Amino acid sequence: MERRNFLTTLLARVGAPLAALVPFLPAARAEAASKAGDPAWKLSPAEWRKRLSPAAYAVLRDEGTERPNSSPLNKEKRSGTYVCAGCRLPLFSSKTKFESGTGWPSFWQPLPNAVATKTDFKLILPRTEYHCRRCGGHQGHVFNDGPKPTGKRYCNNGVALAFVPGG
């Protein structure tokens, strides 16, 4: 059952007058990925499927979420750079990675001009989604419960990243 229909049915059954608000709720599914910031990365779904694994496609292009604790990048401790798995744009330095306990690789700051954000209503309440600035691939969500100095937690899907050791 679609979320909108589920909410309408649930609210109607409990007699809540809020059911009238359901038509104003955001759609259950956001448009796939964000628009590419670089025209060279405006690829068709078929072109993306050729470049990405099915798991990476589900996250980067369909804004999915991988299972927590499923990424080997959670345990990555070497110095290096985390790049977008779609277009290889550098997104995070290993110097900003921290253990958040959430089951996903987490960072307190992206590299300059690496990510863009938009508001995501998929869980009804607004969240801040971030994506690769160049190809528009979905990376994860940013929260205000991270460590100093930024207080941010960029919670990233590991399958949306690749790690480049060094530097």
Side-chain angles (χ1 to χ4, degrees):
M1 178 182 292
E2 287 186 27
R3 183 181 340 171
R4 202 179 279 236
N5 292 340
F6 171 77
L7 287 173
T8 303
T9 303
L10 178 67
L11 292 173
R13 285 191 180 162
V14 296
L18 296 176
L21 296 176
V22 171
F24 300 103
L25 293 175
R29 182 175 161 82
E31 64 182 68
S34 295
K35 298 206 182 322
D38 181 338
W41 288 96
K42 291 181 181 176
L43 306 178
S44 71
E47 290 170 308
W48 279 116
R49 280 192 171 82
K50 287 179 190 173
R51 298 179 70 86
L52 302 170
S53 70
Y57 184 91
V59 170
L60 287 163
R61 307 316 308 165
D62 284 341
E63 297 184 344
T65 302
E66 69 186 357
R67 285 186 353 263
N69 299 305
S70 64
S71 174
L73 293 181
N74 286 338
K75 294 182 169 88
E76 181 60 64
K77 304 292 185 211
R78 296 175 290 170
S79 291
T81 304
Y82 292 85
V83 300
C84 174
C87 70
R88 299 297 196 249
L89 179 72
L91 301 178
F92 297 97
S93 165
S94 61
K95 294 175 184 169
T96 65
K97 186 173 189 259
F98 70 98
E99 179 51 54
S100 67
T102 61
W104 290 280
S106 296
F107 306 86
W108 51 264
Q109 177 176 294
L111 291 169
N113 202 27
V115 301
T117 63
K118 70 179 183 181
T119 303
D120 163 356
F121 289 97
K122 283 185 270 186
L123 295 181
I124 298 182
L125 297 176
R127 299 183 297 172
T128 302
E129 176 204 317
Y130 64 95
H131 50 272
C132 173
R133 176 201 43 84
R134 182 161 59 193
C135 73
H138 172 76
Q139 294 293 319
H141 291 86
V142 61
F143 301 96
N144 293 318
D145 60 2
K148 292 180 180 180
T150 65
K152 302 289 186 189
R153 172 174 51 97
Y154 288 81
C155 190
N156 218 102
N157 288 283
V159 73
L161 294 170
F163 179 71
V164 179

